[in-house]
Amino acid sequence: MDEALLRSLTPSVLGVLVRRGADFAAAEDAVQDALVDAVRVWPADPPRDPKGWLVTAAWRRFLDATRSEAARRRREDLVDGEPVPGPVPAADDTLQLYFLCAHPSLTPSSAVALTLRAVGGLTTRQIAQAYLVPEATMAQRVSRAKRTVSGVRFDRPGDVATVLRVLYLVFNEGYSGDVDLAAEAIRLTRRLAAAIDHPEVAGLLALMLLHHARRAARTAPDGSLVPLAEQDRGRWDTVAIAEGVGILQAALARDRLGEFQAQAAVAALHADAPTAGETDWVQIVEWYDELARLTGNPVVRLNRAVAVGEADGPRAGLAALAELDTALPRRDAVAAYLHERDGDPVTAARLYAEAARKAPNLAERDHLTRQAARLHAGRGGG
């Protein structure tokens, strides 16, 4: 992948979109999405006309985002005429829409996908990445959900669990930096916590606050990612951490453990450690065991392998990792880290490079590429 070529083409592609009528901010977002697509597609299928390819991809991204925003606005206009459903605060139309899209006629997974697409503003690609499925599969799922509710009156709100899942995924997209939705997800979750006395709502709010508290330290001035162990903890938001821990403690005291409370407990243990070396990895492994029991989620088991590697040594972490599907996203990055800690820089460099090729965004790709380059340089490039 010729990164210099991508950088050189970016201004002219941006100019084409602006001349076609896109406002600058929307055009810039569309071009960034197109660059991510190029990083993913070009190594296997390089275009004959790189600029033309980028212009076409960026324009499609711009149209997709414009239509998504228009659809969201239409739904907000329509919902004004609907009766206020259940526990949703009448003052917040967006939260009301989340409940309405989580319709009882849909399965939870379909309701989440539909809400993320229609209300959350996420693209089909972003939703597919969150669910670890191909984009075409997610497109079919969203289409089926739309057909299911096409003749249904949106006057029955869905359940809280589905809405929490949507808010969590929206927050994750915002936190990753691809779409700035994290603050909006926190705002809506605060409103939901004020309206509903539910320990998992509190758990989700605590989790969001604890993760968001580290946001300022997650990237360097040049935009590169900073791993948790290397972050300047002095830049963490201690007020948000204290609020998140307080909310979590009150939720755990009710003895109705759910996955968001368990995830928040892991985040709280990271936040509580004065330095990375003082992190209580043994407790973190125990919380990941609880999460695995509650969810069966393979990503939980991937994170658990990292924690096991810290608590019991890298070989124990690699043994835990060996039980997971080799196609699991970010598995190669975890394997690279554990192999490096186990004193095998050759394997680690190869796996970092492989993980970079599969990275879902430019920031992560650049970070993994630098890790591979660092190890190559350390052994003389041999």
Side-chain angles (χ1 to χ4, degrees):
M1 172 60 60
D2 190 341
E3 295 187 27
L5 174 62
L6 286 178
R7 286 195 296 270
S8 68
L9 290 175
T10 297
S12 60
V13 174
L14 184 60
V16 171
L17 265 65
V18 171
R19 288 193 294 274
R20 287 185 179 182
D23 68 82
F24 186 82
E28 197 171 33
D29 290 342
V31 171
Q32 289 301 315
D33 284 341
L35 292 174
V36 172
D37 289 341
V39 169
R40 177 173 52 86
V41 173
W42 287 11
D45 186 19
R48 288 191 296 272
D49 178 10
K51 180 180 176 180
W53 191 100
L54 285 171
V55 168
T56 300
W59 186 248
R60 286 174 179 168
R61 290 293 184 188
F62 167 73
L63 292 178
D64 190 42
T66 301
R67 289 165 182 159
S68 176
E69 176 64 15
R72 186 184 70 80
R73 291 180 182 277
R74 285 196 299 272
R75 291 177 188 277
E76 286 182 342
D77 291 339
L78 288 172
V79 81
D80 285 338
E82 296 284 351
V84 178
V88 181
D92 196 321
D93 287 347
T94 306
L95 190 55
Q96 183 177 346
L97 282 170
Y98 274 64
F99 271 94
L100 291 175
C101 283
H103 199 275
S105 64
L106 296 172
T107 62
S109 61
S110 293
V112 170
L114 177 63
T115 313
L116 290 171
R117 188 71 185 90
V119 185
L122 273 65
T123 65
T124 302
R125 174 179 59 85
Q126 291 166 329
I127 303 170
Q129 288 175 350
Y131 270 88
L132 308 180
V133 299
E135 185 174 347
T137 300
M138 184 53 65
Q140 292 174 354
R141 187 178 300 179
V142 172
S143 296
R144 283 197 300 269
K146 290 178 178 178
R147 287 196 299 271
T148 299
V149 300
S150 60
V152 172
R153 180 176 174 81
F154 279 78
D155 57 358
R156 291 184 297 159
D159 69 332
V160 174
T162 300
V163 173
L164 290 180
R165 177 62 49 193
V166 174
L167 289 169
Y168 176 59
L169 292 174
V170 169
F171 175 80
N172 280 343
E173 283 298 327
Y175 193 62
S176 72
D178 201 11
V179 180
D180 190 11
L181 294 169
E184 174 67 0
I186 291 173
R187 183 185 72 84
L188 292 174
T189 307
R190 282 192 187 279
R191 286 188 174 273
L192 188 58
I196 299 176
D197 183 21
H198 192 297
E200 273 294 82
V201 176
L204 179 58
L205 179 57
L207 175 63
M208 288 179 174
L209 290 169
L210 289 164
H211 277 307
H212 205 60
R214 302 199 302 259
R215 189 169 191 177
R218 291 183 71 242
T219 54
D222 63 359
S224 60
L225 294 179
V226 180
L228 176 61
E230 299 172 18
Q231 289 176 16
D232 178 0
R233 298 182 180 223
R235 299 184 66 196
W236 290 0
D237 185 342
T238 55
V239 173
I241 289 173
E243 182 185 5
V245 169
I247 292 170
L248 172 63
Q249 289 174 339
L252 291 175
R254 300 177 66 175
D255 199 24
R256 290 169 56 193
L257 183 64
E259 63 172 296
F260 293 123
Q261 295 170 69
Q263 286 191 59
V266 171
L269 286 167
H270 283 298
D272 186 56
T275 65
E278 296 173 85
T279 304
D280 190 343
W281 287 106
V282 173
Q283 275 203 68
I284 289 176
V285 171
E286 292 173 356
W287 278 113
Y288 275 129
D289 287 338
E290 289 286 350
L291 265 172
R293 179 183 62 80
L294 288 166
T295 68
N297 190 321
V299 176
V300 169
R301 297 180 65 200
L302 183 67
N303 291 332
R304 179 185 178 276
V306 176
V308 168
E310 299 290 351
D312 300 327
R315 293 194 179 181
L318 287 168
L321 190 65
E323 301 173 2
L324 304 181
D325 187 345
T326 56
L328 186 64
R330 296 187 172 91
R331 184 187 186 279
D332 287 339
V334 171
Y337 172 74
L338 292 171
H339 276 290
E340 181 181 359
R341 287 199 60 227
D342 194 39
D344 185 358
V346 175
T347 301
R350 175 178 59 79
L351 288 169
Y352 275 130
E354 182 63 27
R357 285 190 286 272
K358 301 175 183 176
N361 57 66
L362 281 172
E364 189 170 332
R365 176 181 176 272
D366 289 346
H367 170 72
L368 293 168
T369 300
R370 280 193 295 271
Q371 295 294 86
R374 172 178 57 79
L375 292 179
H376 278 300
R379 55 192 179 91

